[in-house]
Amino acid sequence: GDGPAPGVLGEAASGPERAVALLRHLADAYRSLSLFQCQEAIDAFERLPQAHFKSGWVLSQVGRAHYEMVRYSDALRAFK
């Protein structure tokens, strides 16, 4: 995607609250992927702040989701 929507993790929250919100969001997205709800997982990962979305782990999960949906060119783009 073009990047996540701002405010997903609640910028007004304190540091620990934001960390918990980030981990919960990552866990929810990963759970969707593990249940092969691939588009839902991609949508959730794309709502992350850009710095987190561009991490190697998140991009590899996005690539895996595209791969599972037989969107190989999108998977390759995520893995690059």
Side-chain angles (χ1 to χ4, degrees):
D2 288 328
V8 167
L9 300 181
E11 281 75 9
S14 71
E17 290 169 343
R18 289 186 70 201
V20 169
L22 172 62
L23 290 173
R24 179 175 299 270
H25 193 90
L26 289 168
D28 289 343
Y30 188 77
R31 181 176 187 277
S32 293
L33 183 56
S34 71
L35 295 172
F36 295 96
Q37 298 168 341
C38 298
Q39 189 59 56
E40 184 177 317
I42 291 169
D43 294 343
F45 283 125
E46 287 180 342
R47 286 191 299 271
L48 288 167
Q50 191 70 17
H52 297 292
F53 179 77
K54 292 292 185 184
S55 73
W57 186 83
V58 170
L59 290 174
S60 69
Q61 303 312 307
V62 170
R64 177 179 162 213
H66 284 296
Y67 174 84
E68 296 291 353
M69 294 190 298
V70 193
R71 294 184 190 164
Y72 299 125
S73 61
D74 291 334
L76 184 60
R77 200 169 16 260
F79 285 122
K80 282 190 174 187

